[in-house]
Amino acid sequence: MADFLWRAITAGLLLAVVAGPLGCFIVWRRMAYFGDTLSHSALLGIAFGLLFDLNLQVAVVVSSAAIALLLVLLERHKSLATDTLLGILAHSALALGLVLLSFTPTQIDLQAYLFGDLLTVTSSELLWLVFGAACALALLLTQWNGLLSFTLQSELAQVEGLNVARLRVLLMLMISLVVAVSMKIVGVLLITSLLIIPAATARLFAHSPEQMALGASLCGCIAVLGGIAASWFWDTPTGPSIVVVAALLFAVGSLRKA
Amino acid sequence: MNQPTSPPKTDTATAATCIPQALLHLHAVDFHAGDRHILQQVNLHLTQGQILTLIGPNGAGKTTLVKIALGLVVPSSGTVNRSADLRIGYMPQRLQVDATLPLSVQRFLQLAPRSTAADITTALQEVGADHLRHSRLQSLSGGELQRVLLARALLGKPQLLVLDEPTQGVDLKGQAELYDLITRIRDRHGCGVLMVSHDLHLVMSATDEVICLNQHVCCHGHPEQVGNDPAYLELFGKAGVEAMAVYTHHHYHEHDLHGNVVDEHVHDANCQHSPAPSLLLHPNAPRRSSH
């Protein structure tokens, strides 16, 4: 089979594995809108990267991390409800990104960033993904109990000696990192779905947080393989196909459970 | 100290024979949020083996004071002294577990730092919740969840237990049992207990000292000092007397079991309160949302 296909499959599976447990935290902590905000603002990173001639991956990682930290700060002194705040940030970042992109010297394939272009993943992009996924997985494994404890009751976790401020920032940075490196795979408009849908599917059958996290990774992998297969055989767009397969898994799971 | 059924008073006497260690000392604590004064000049002192209960209406600053004691909130002014390396077991007011998080009681307890399987078994047995070990956290009743939270607080072998409304969402019978349990735990471990309570009828015989809080300390002292009427205790029958007492704050009138006023308090020049007896919650009376 072609090299590009292997790269696409590897990239997709890596993302699915790390998106599983992270997606669980997004579902448990009701942060879906947060993921959306980060992914929408990722386009802003691309625009800055092109304008100032930076490495695009670095630009996206840095801008996502900056937006995540900004959100942590804004949440602390909140004068608006969090969902309103996130809505404002998400869409103004997306709009600003689109406006700035019109000033860039080189024209880019906007479609690829909005909906992903998994089949054109390059070796260097794959390396970035391996790096991002490895960091996120290592952090998730070592901080798992702390993150769970903090998700359940942050004050109890704090009294028990956890540094909850650090855990909060850590979780947000991990999500922003994964969002940044996975832009190419499903696109900014669909990244959140790959985090949430597999977690929601795994939730139907899981009896422990760990089962749910692993199940979410597994569902994500099936969705990635199914989406790439659909794309290969029927020439459908890859990113959206992955999300459609994930949604189908969720639908089937819900029906079986009901 | 290891007589679980002994009434609290006996135990206080025993504890007094050895020198009780001061666990927590708050001096002249002020807290304001914006221009709202939440706490003014609050003093609090808690020693080993002592149960101290904070009572007061909603918005009185009880939870804020607890959070200051725990170090979760920094006071605007005043000093907070905790004894060195104080091990604290905390039972938060609320545990809202998202329905999407599948979590058994056992897994929840494993999240406590350095808890072993043996610790978990001991703690669950101690609070009488061993049979719930494999239940889903979200399927527990109010009383069961509170017991599990208490077990988690016990896992760190605390010298100080901080309980924020330990009987929230628990029926009357369960409330009495929980206070009884808290007293037994204090007796067995000799830990200090700082708790917030709304159950004025029940808490009095389960506590050594009461602080009546309404932004400032309205009054404090032994339950008898703050107000205790033995005649009222008799209404509950002998079986319940040890664990159940009635809040007979001399500021207010009293109720019988049916909620009828049996002894109207006469307001006089010594009263330092508004006449509304809103502090008094009767178990049979529906809880008003204003509390």
Side-chain angles (χ1 to χ4, degrees):
Chain A
M1 263 192 278
D3 270 358
F4 75 89
L5 193 60
W6 284 118
R7 278 199 299 273
I9 291 174
T10 316
L13 291 181
L14 263 177
L15 174 64
V17 166
V18 76
L22 268 185
C24 289
F25 281 108
I26 292 184
V27 169
W28 295 333
R29 299 182 57 82
R30 307 193 172 199
M31 292 165 76
Y33 223 145
F34 173 75
D36 261 350
T37 305
L38 280 179
S39 52
H40 284 122
S41 52
L43 202 63
L44 197 57
I46 293 287
F48 278 125
L50 287 173
L51 276 178
F52 301 109
D53 200 21
L54 305 168
N55 179 314
L56 288 189
Q57 284 291 349
V58 176
V60 174
V61 169
V62 170
S63 71
S64 294
I67 297 262
L69 292 177
L70 183 68
L71 280 171
V72 175
L73 283 179
L74 283 175
E75 262 195 333
R76 215 167 280 171
H77 323 260
K78 58 175 156 196
S79 47
L80 282 172
T82 308
D83 58 341
T84 310
L85 197 67
L86 289 175
I88 293 171
L89 261 176
H91 297 287
S92 30
L94 181 62
L96 188 61
L98 291 169
V99 168
L100 286 180
L101 277 176
S102 70
F103 292 113
T104 54
T106 45
Q107 282 305 307
I108 58 147
D109 180 12
L110 193 58
Q111 188 97 6
Y113 288 109
L114 289 179
F115 300 106
D117 199 358
L118 182 54
L119 298 181
T120 64
V121 167
T122 63
S123 307
S124 78
E125 282 167 336
L126 189 57
L127 270 180
W128 270 100
L129 192 61
V130 170
F131 170 74
C135 283
L137 272 181
L139 284 172
L140 276 170
L141 282 175
T142 52
Q143 305 291 319
W144 182 257
N145 271 358
L147 285 167
L148 259 185
S149 205
F150 152 69
T151 295
L152 274 167
Q153 229 287 350
S154 73
E155 282 165 344
L156 180 57
Q158 200 174 342
V159 171
E160 287 178 344
L162 290 174
N163 185 340
V164 298
R166 207 189 65 188
L167 284 172
R168 185 190 307 275
V169 170
L170 190 70
L171 187 61
M172 289 206 165
L173 285 181
M174 275 195 289
I175 295 170
S176 67
L177 183 67
V178 166
V179 164
V181 296
S182 61
M183 231 176 126
K184 196 65 185 281
I185 294 167
V186 281
V188 293
L189 295 181
L190 296 175
I191 289 173
T192 322
S193 59
L194 205 56
L195 286 163
I196 291 172
I197 301 175
T201 311
R203 157 75 189 85
L204 296 168
F205 305 100
H207 296 291
S208 74
E210 292 75 20
Q211 275 181 14
M212 183 162 155
L214 289 177
S217 293
L218 189 67
C219 291
C221 288
I222 295 173
V224 164
L225 293 176
I228 293 179
S231 183
W232 179 262
F233 291 114
W234 300 307
D235 205 22
T236 55
T238 323
S241 304
I242 292 173
V243 176
V244 167
V245 175
L248 280 175
L249 278 178
F250 176 73
V252 171
S254 305
L255 285 176
R256 282 199 56 155
K257 188 81 180 175
Chain B
M1 292 284 269
N2 48 11
Q3 292 171 298
T5 47
S6 66
K9 273 175 215 161
T10 323
D11 193 80
T12 319
T14 330
T17 53
C18 41
I19 305 147
Q21 188 202 347
L23 299 175
L24 183 67
H25 186 78
L26 272 65
H27 180 67
V29 164
D30 268 40
F31 184 78
H32 27 88
D35 48 2
R36 264 187 67 215
H37 242 90
I38 311 279
L39 293 170
Q40 290 173 31
Q41 295 295 305
V42 175
N43 298 322
L44 184 155
H45 187 80
L46 182 64
T47 53
Q48 194 185 2
Q50 185 189 27
I51 299 184
L52 173 65
T53 306
L54 297 174
I55 57 174
N58 255 17
K62 302 186 296 294
T63 295
T64 307
L65 185 58
V66 162
K67 286 183 179 171
I68 288 174
L70 287 167
L72 292 171
V73 169
V74 180
S76 309
S77 67
T79 55
V80 179
N81 289 313
R82 278 175 289 271
S83 70
D85 301 320
L86 184 64
R87 293 189 304 272
I88 301 180
Y90 174 45
M91 185 169 160
Q93 195 178 63
R94 259 187 300 274
L95 180 77
Q96 280 173 329
V97 184
D98 198 280
T100 58
L101 179 48
L103 198 66
S104 69
V105 167
Q106 174 159 296
R107 187 72 188 84
F108 171 70
L109 295 176
Q110 282 166 353
L111 287 175
R114 295 174 296 280
S115 61
T116 66
D119 291 341
I120 290 174
T121 305
T122 313
L124 277 174
Q125 281 167 351
E126 182 152 20
V127 300
D130 201 24
H131 60 291
L132 301 170
R133 181 184 284 260
H134 300 292
S135 306
R136 271 187 60 129
L137 215 52
Q138 291 95 335
S139 70
L140 302 183
S141 73
E144 289 167 343
L145 183 61
Q146 297 304 91
R147 278 166 191 264
V148 169
L149 281 172
L150 192 54
R152 169 110 178 224
L154 288 174
L155 278 174
K157 302 184 177 57
Q159 297 157 300
L160 171 63
L161 266 180
V162 179
L163 316 171
D164 196 349
E165 296 201 26
T167 60
Q168 214 181 39
V170 180
D171 60 34
L172 180 61
K173 184 167 166 286
Q175 288 175 9
E177 286 168 1
L178 260 177
Y179 284 118
D180 208 29
L181 177 63
I182 291 165
T183 307
R184 284 204 309 269
I185 285 171
R186 187 277 311 266
D187 294 348
R188 199 172 307 143
H189 299 275
C191 54
V193 179
L194 172 64
M195 66 179 166
V196 170
S197 176
H198 271 309
D199 312 305
L200 305 175
H201 288 76
L202 299 174
V203 82
M204 280 306 182
S205 76
T207 191
D208 302 318
E209 176 132 358
V210 178
I211 289 183
C212 190
L213 190 73
N214 196 0
Q215 269 116 57
H216 63 285
V217 176
C218 298
C219 53
H220 68 102
H222 294 292
E224 294 88 348
Q225 276 173 278
V226 176
N228 193 354
D229 188 349
Y232 194 86
L233 283 173
E234 283 169 24
L235 283 173
F236 283 92
K238 284 209 163 56
V241 164
E242 277 178 16
M244 298 165 85
V246 180
Y247 182 58
T248 52
H249 196 301
H250 64 273
H251 291 168
Y252 302 114
H253 62 230
E254 296 162 29
H255 295 268
D256 65 13
L257 268 177
H258 305 287
N260 302 316
V261 174
V262 291
D263 180 18
E264 187 78 60
H265 158 65
V266 182
H267 296 277
D268 57 31
N270 295 326
C271 293
Q272 296 175 333
H273 65 95
S274 60
S278 58
L279 260 180
L280 195 63
L281 277 179
H282 191 275
N284 291 351
R287 286 196 168 201
R288 295 207 322 240
S289 57
S290 62
H291 286 291

